[in-house]
Amino acid sequence: MAEDEDSDELPIRLPRVPQLANEMRKALTGMPDRMRAEISFEFKKWQATQRDGREVLGVLNERYDLWVFECASPAPWIAAGFDTKEGALILGALLPRDVAVDAWNCAAHLARALGEEVTSLKIY
């Protein structure tokens, strides 16, 4: 699901902070198949439509387009950011379902996953 470099699709990567990447890898691989299928469906939908003018929550540090994937039950929601320089989606955090996540929260999760501070945040 994450880090597929050989595909023509936009790459999806785990957090850049090694400890958080390991935690997310364990969480994703330990999920029931149905949950992973729902997450995969949301990622494929995003990959197919990301370049078609989809609205982002905001932009973190003038580089990362912020997204929240509201996966269908029973999967968690996911905070992520599209790295506009690298051309890859970086996973930020698995989130409790049905809890509203605004641009501020998404930016905080992503910044933590990147090992960066929030130096600028443009909200849409």
Side-chain angles (χ1 to χ4, degrees), residues 6-34:
D6 298 326
S7 173
D8 288 337
E9 298 175 339
L10 294 168
I12 298 172
R13 301 209 173 109
L14 294 171
R16 291 185 182 152
V17 173
Q19 177 185 351
L20 298 177
N22 289 336
E23 289 173 9
M24 187 167 294
R25 184 180 295 109
K26 286 179 187 176
L28 291 169
T29 58
M31 284 179 184
D33 290 342
R34 182 170 173 216

mmCIF file of all heavy atoms in Angstrom, residues 6-34:
data_model
loop_
_atom_site.group_PDB
_atom_site.id
_atom_site.type_symbol
_atom_site.label_atom_id
_atom_site.label_comp_id
_atom_site.label_asym_id
_atom_site.label_seq_id
_atom_site.Cartn_x
_atom_site.Cartn_y
_atom_site.Cartn_z
ATOM 1 N N ASP A 6 7.450 1.612 -8.127
ATOM 2 C CA ASP A 6 7.492 1.124 -9.499
ATOM 3 C C ASP A 6 6.211 1.398 -10.273
ATOM 4 O O ASP A 6 6.108 1.092 -11.441
ATOM 5 C CB ASP A 6 7.766 -0.385 -9.503
ATOM 6 C CG ASP A 6 9.116 -0.692 -8.880
ATOM 7 O OD1 ASP A 6 10.038 0.132 -9.046
ATOM 8 O OD2 ASP A 6 9.243 -1.740 -8.235
ATOM 9 N N SER A 7 5.228 1.973 -9.653
ATOM 10 C CA SER A 7 3.936 2.200 -10.277
ATOM 11 C C SER A 7 3.909 3.546 -10.989
ATOM 12 O O SER A 7 4.654 4.453 -10.675
ATOM 13 C CB SER A 7 2.855 2.163 -9.189
ATOM 14 O OG SER A 7 1.624 2.538 -9.718
ATOM 15 N N ASP A 8 3.003 3.655 -11.982
ATOM 16 C CA ASP A 8 2.780 4.938 -12.636
ATOM 17 C C ASP A 8 1.942 5.862 -11.756
ATOM 18 O O ASP A 8 1.822 7.040 -12.041
ATOM 19 C CB ASP A 8 2.057 4.729 -13.972
ATOM 20 C CG ASP A 8 2.978 4.118 -15.005
ATOM 21 O OD1 ASP A 8 4.204 4.257 -14.879
ATOM 22 O OD2 ASP A 8 2.457 3.495 -15.952
ATOM 23 N N GLU A 9 1.350 5.318 -10.701
ATOM 24 C CA GLU A 9 0.536 6.108 -9.793
ATOM 25 C C GLU A 9 1.434 6.975 -8.918
ATOM 26 O O GLU A 9 2.625 6.727 -8.777
ATOM 27 C CB GLU A 9 -0.299 5.179 -8.906
ATOM 28 C CG GLU A 9 -1.271 4.329 -9.686
ATOM 29 C CD GLU A 9 -1.988 3.336 -8.783
ATOM 30 O OE1 GLU A 9 -1.494 3.025 -7.689
ATOM 31 O OE2 GLU A 9 -3.048 2.874 -9.198
ATOM 32 N N LEU A 10 0.847 7.991 -8.322
ATOM 33 C CA LEU A 10 1.591 8.833 -7.389
ATOM 34 C C LEU A 10 2.006 7.984 -6.189
ATOM 35 O O LEU A 10 1.192 7.249 -5.635
ATOM 36 C CB LEU A 10 0.716 9.994 -6.934
ATOM 37 C CG LEU A 10 0.338 10.989 -8.024
ATOM 38 C CD1 LEU A 10 -0.761 11.919 -7.535
ATOM 39 C CD2 LEU A 10 1.546 11.780 -8.481
ATOM 40 N N PRO A 11 3.273 8.081 -5.765
ATOM 41 C CA PRO A 11 3.728 7.259 -4.637
ATOM 42 C C PRO A 11 3.092 7.687 -3.322
ATOM 43 O O PRO A 11 2.820 8.866 -3.100
ATOM 44 C CB PRO A 11 5.231 7.465 -4.613
ATOM 45 C CG PRO A 11 5.537 8.581 -5.525
ATOM 46 C CD PRO A 11 4.332 8.864 -6.364
ATOM 47 N N ILE A 12 2.889 6.701 -2.450
ATOM 48 C CA ILE A 12 2.374 6.929 -1.109
ATOM 49 C C ILE A 12 3.441 6.426 -0.159
ATOM 50 O O ILE A 12 3.868 5.273 -0.257
ATOM 51 C CB ILE A 12 1.037 6.197 -0.887
ATOM 52 C CG1 ILE A 12 -0.007 6.733 -1.865
ATOM 53 C CG2 ILE A 12 0.575 6.339 0.561
ATOM 54 C CD1 ILE A 12 -1.298 5.964 -1.888
ATOM 55 N N ARG A 13 3.876 7.292 0.756
ATOM 56 C CA ARG A 13 4.993 6.957 1.628
ATOM 57 C C ARG A 13 4.604 7.036 3.094
ATOM 58 O O ARG A 13 3.752 7.837 3.481
ATOM 59 C CB ARG A 13 6.153 7.902 1.353
ATOM 60 C CG ARG A 13 6.604 7.805 -0.098
ATOM 61 C CD ARG A 13 8.049 8.130 -0.254
ATOM 62 N NE ARG A 13 8.456 7.846 -1.624
ATOM 63 C CZ ARG A 13 8.756 8.766 -2.520
ATOM 64 N NH1 ARG A 13 8.698 10.038 -2.196
ATOM 65 N NH2 ARG A 13 9.135 8.421 -3.728
ATOM 66 N N LEU A 14 5.277 6.242 3.884
ATOM 67 C CA LEU A 14 5.117 6.274 5.333
ATOM 68 C C LEU A 14 5.742 7.553 5.890
ATOM 69 O O LEU A 14 6.486 8.236 5.182
ATOM 70 C CB LEU A 14 5.784 5.046 5.943
ATOM 71 C CG LEU A 14 5.135 3.710 5.590
ATOM 72 C CD1 LEU A 14 6.019 2.563 6.059
ATOM 73 C CD2 LEU A 14 3.739 3.595 6.175
ATOM 74 N N PRO A 15 5.471 7.866 7.163
ATOM 75 C CA PRO A 15 6.094 9.045 7.769
ATOM 76 C C PRO A 15 7.613 9.008 7.612
ATOM 77 O O PRO A 15 8.218 7.933 7.530
ATOM 78 C CB PRO A 15 5.695 8.936 9.246
ATOM 79 C CG PRO A 15 4.410 8.182 9.221
ATOM 80 C CD PRO A 15 4.575 7.187 8.104
ATOM 81 N N ARG A 16 8.221 10.179 7.593
ATOM 82 C CA ARG A 16 9.681 10.263 7.454
ATOM 83 C C ARG A 16 10.405 10.013 8.764
ATOM 84 O O ARG A 16 11.574 9.652 8.771
ATOM 85 C CB ARG A 16 10.062 11.625 6.891
ATOM 86 C CG ARG A 16 9.631 11.762 5.451
ATOM 87 C CD ARG A 16 10.102 13.053 4.851
ATOM 88 N NE ARG A 16 9.613 13.151 3.475
ATOM 89 C CZ ARG A 16 9.371 14.286 2.862
ATOM 90 N NH1 ARG A 16 9.588 15.435 3.489
ATOM 91 N NH2 ARG A 16 8.936 14.295 1.623
ATOM 92 N N VAL A 17 9.738 10.215 9.895
ATOM 93 C CA VAL A 17 10.324 9.938 11.204
ATOM 94 C C VAL A 17 10.314 8.415 11.379
ATOM 95 O O VAL A 17 9.233 7.810 11.369
ATOM 96 C CB VAL A 17 9.542 10.647 12.330
ATOM 97 C CG1 VAL A 17 10.044 10.227 13.704
ATOM 98 C CG2 VAL A 17 9.610 12.156 12.147
ATOM 99 N N PRO A 18 11.488 7.800 11.504
ATOM 100 C CA PRO A 18 11.564 6.330 11.529
ATOM 101 C C PRO A 18 10.657 5.658 12.552
ATOM 102 O O PRO A 18 9.990 4.671 12.232
ATOM 103 C CB PRO A 18 13.047 6.051 11.818
ATOM 104 C CG PRO A 18 13.756 7.248 11.266
ATOM 105 C CD PRO A 18 12.828 8.411 11.540
ATOM 106 N N GLN A 19 10.594 6.162 13.774
ATOM 107 C CA GLN A 19 9.753 5.547 14.796
ATOM 108 C C GLN A 19 8.281 5.583 14.380
ATOM 109 O O GLN A 19 7.555 4.597 14.524
ATOM 110 C CB GLN A 19 9.937 6.241 16.143
ATOM 111 C CG GLN A 19 9.017 5.683 17.221
ATOM 112 C CD GLN A 19 9.116 6.448 18.528
ATOM 113 O OE1 GLN A 19 9.985 7.294 18.707
ATOM 114 N NE2 GLN A 19 8.211 6.164 19.437
ATOM 115 N N LEU A 20 7.835 6.718 13.839
ATOM 116 C CA LEU A 20 6.436 6.835 13.416
ATOM 117 C C LEU A 20 6.168 5.964 12.198
ATOM 118 O O LEU A 20 5.083 5.394 12.059
ATOM 119 C CB LEU A 20 6.096 8.296 13.134
ATOM 120 C CG LEU A 20 6.221 9.237 14.336
ATOM 121 C CD1 LEU A 20 5.931 10.665 13.924
ATOM 122 C CD2 LEU A 20 5.298 8.790 15.457
ATOM 123 N N ALA A 21 7.145 5.839 11.304
ATOM 124 C CA ALA A 21 6.990 4.953 10.140
ATOM 125 C C ALA A 21 6.833 3.506 10.591
ATOM 126 O O ALA A 21 5.965 2.781 10.082
ATOM 127 C CB ALA A 21 8.191 5.093 9.205
ATOM 128 N N ASN A 22 7.647 3.092 11.560
ATOM 129 C CA ASN A 22 7.538 1.718 12.072
ATOM 130 C C ASN A 22 6.195 1.476 12.734
ATOM 131 O O ASN A 22 5.575 0.427 12.536
ATOM 132 C CB ASN A 22 8.676 1.423 13.051
ATOM 133 C CG ASN A 22 10.008 1.291 12.350
ATOM 134 O OD1 ASN A 22 10.084 0.988 11.157
ATOM 135 N ND2 ASN A 22 11.084 1.533 13.084
ATOM 136 N N GLU A 23 5.733 2.455 13.520
ATOM 137 C CA GLU A 23 4.429 2.323 14.181
ATOM 138 C C GLU A 23 3.306 2.219 13.160
ATOM 139 O O GLU A 23 2.401 1.390 13.299
ATOM 140 C CB GLU A 23 4.187 3.509 15.119
ATOM 141 C CG GLU A 23 5.059 3.504 16.349
ATOM 142 C CD GLU A 23 4.928 4.777 17.175
ATOM 143 O OE1 GLU A 23 4.031 5.613 16.904
ATOM 144 O OE2 GLU A 23 5.739 4.950 18.113
ATOM 145 N N MET A 24 3.366 3.065 12.121
ATOM 146 C CA MET A 24 2.304 3.028 11.114
ATOM 147 C C MET A 24 2.363 1.730 10.313
ATOM 148 O O MET A 24 1.331 1.145 10.009
ATOM 149 C CB MET A 24 2.359 4.231 10.182
ATOM 150 C CG MET A 24 1.156 4.264 9.244
ATOM 151 S SD MET A 24 0.936 5.798 8.367
ATOM 152 C CE MET A 24 0.572 6.926 9.675
ATOM 153 N N ARG A 25 3.554 1.283 9.961
ATOM 154 C CA ARG A 25 3.704 0.022 9.229
ATOM 155 C C ARG A 25 3.079 -1.123 10.020
ATOM 156 O O ARG A 25 2.323 -1.924 9.478
ATOM 157 C CB ARG A 25 5.185 -0.261 8.953
ATOM 158 C CG ARG A 25 5.424 -1.502 8.120
ATOM 159 C CD ARG A 25 6.907 -1.768 7.857
ATOM 160 N NE ARG A 25 7.488 -0.708 7.038
ATOM 161 C CZ ARG A 25 8.351 0.217 7.483
ATOM 162 N NH1 ARG A 25 8.745 0.208 8.748
ATOM 163 N NH2 ARG A 25 8.834 1.127 6.675
ATOM 164 N N LYS A 26 3.375 -1.172 11.334
ATOM 165 C CA LYS A 26 2.806 -2.216 12.192
ATOM 166 C C LYS A 26 1.287 -2.111 12.248
ATOM 167 O O LYS A 26 0.578 -3.118 12.186
ATOM 168 C CB LYS A 26 3.388 -2.132 13.602
ATOM 169 C CG LYS A 26 4.801 -2.629 13.702
ATOM 170 C CD LYS A 26 5.317 -2.494 15.127
ATOM 171 C CE LYS A 26 6.783 -2.841 15.202
ATOM 172 N NZ LYS A 26 7.315 -2.630 16.552
ATOM 173 N N ALA A 27 0.788 -0.898 12.393
ATOM 174 C CA ALA A 27 -0.667 -0.703 12.468
ATOM 175 C C ALA A 27 -1.343 -1.140 11.171
ATOM 176 O O ALA A 27 -2.370 -1.817 11.187
ATOM 177 C CB ALA A 27 -1.001 0.751 12.776
ATOM 178 N N LEU A 28 -0.759 -0.746 10.035
ATOM 179 C CA LEU A 28 -1.358 -1.087 8.738
ATOM 180 C C LEU A 28 -1.294 -2.584 8.463
ATOM 181 O O LEU A 28 -2.267 -3.170 7.984
ATOM 182 C CB LEU A 28 -0.678 -0.307 7.613
ATOM 183 C CG LEU A 28 -0.931 1.195 7.600
ATOM 184 C CD1 LEU A 28 0.000 1.895 6.615
ATOM 185 C CD2 LEU A 28 -2.390 1.501 7.263
ATOM 186 N N THR A 29 -0.160 -3.205 8.747
ATOM 187 C CA THR A 29 -0.048 -4.640 8.470
ATOM 188 C C THR A 29 -0.847 -5.475 9.460
ATOM 189 O O THR A 29 -1.246 -6.589 9.139
ATOM 190 C CB THR A 29 1.428 -5.105 8.450
ATOM 191 O OG1 THR A 29 2.033 -4.802 9.702
ATOM 192 C CG2 THR A 29 2.191 -4.444 7.321
ATOM 193 N N GLY A 30 -1.095 -4.934 10.659
ATOM 194 C CA GLY A 30 -1.872 -5.660 11.657
ATOM 195 C C GLY A 30 -3.379 -5.509 11.521
ATOM 196 O O GLY A 30 -4.140 -6.164 12.220
ATOM 197 N N MET A 31 -3.822 -4.661 10.599
ATOM 198 C CA MET A 31 -5.256 -4.436 10.397
ATOM 199 C C MET A 31 -5.908 -5.620 9.683
ATOM 200 O O MET A 31 -5.272 -6.266 8.864
ATOM 201 C CB MET A 31 -5.484 -3.219 9.500
ATOM 202 C CG MET A 31 -5.287 -1.925 10.124
ATOM 203 S SD MET A 31 -5.587 -0.629 8.877
ATOM 204 C CE MET A 31 -5.159 0.769 9.867
ATOM 205 N N PRO A 32 -7.184 -5.828 9.953
ATOM 206 C CA PRO A 32 -7.915 -6.813 9.158
ATOM 207 C C PRO A 32 -7.942 -6.390 7.682
ATOM 208 O O PRO A 32 -7.871 -5.195 7.359
ATOM 209 C CB PRO A 32 -9.329 -6.776 9.755
ATOM 210 C CG PRO A 32 -9.171 -6.180 11.112
ATOM 211 C CD PRO A 32 -8.004 -5.243 11.018
ATOM 212 N N ASP A 33 -8.054 -7.356 6.803
ATOM 213 C CA ASP A 33 -8.061 -7.100 5.363
ATOM 214 C C ASP A 33 -9.121 -6.074 4.965
ATOM 215 O O ASP A 33 -8.875 -5.248 4.090
ATOM 216 C CB ASP A 33 -8.293 -8.396 4.573
ATOM 217 C CG ASP A 33 -7.106 -9.336 4.655
ATOM 218 O OD1 ASP A 33 -6.000 -8.887 5.019
ATOM 219 O OD2 ASP A 33 -7.297 -10.534 4.345
ATOM 220 N N ARG A 34 -10.274 -6.121 5.577
ATOM 221 C CA ARG A 34 -11.357 -5.209 5.216
ATOM 222 C C ARG A 34 -10.960 -3.748 5.466
ATOM 223 O O ARG A 34 -11.261 -2.859 4.665
ATOM 224 C CB ARG A 34 -12.624 -5.547 6.000
ATOM 225 C CG ARG A 34 -13.783 -4.668 5.625
ATOM 226 C CD ARG A 34 -15.074 -5.155 6.214
ATOM 227 N NE ARG A 34 -16.103 -4.159 5.944
ATOM 228 C CZ ARG A 34 -17.065 -3.862 6.778
ATOM 229 N NH1 ARG A 34 -17.190 -4.499 7.922
ATOM 230 N NH2 ARG A 34 -17.954 -2.941 6.468
#
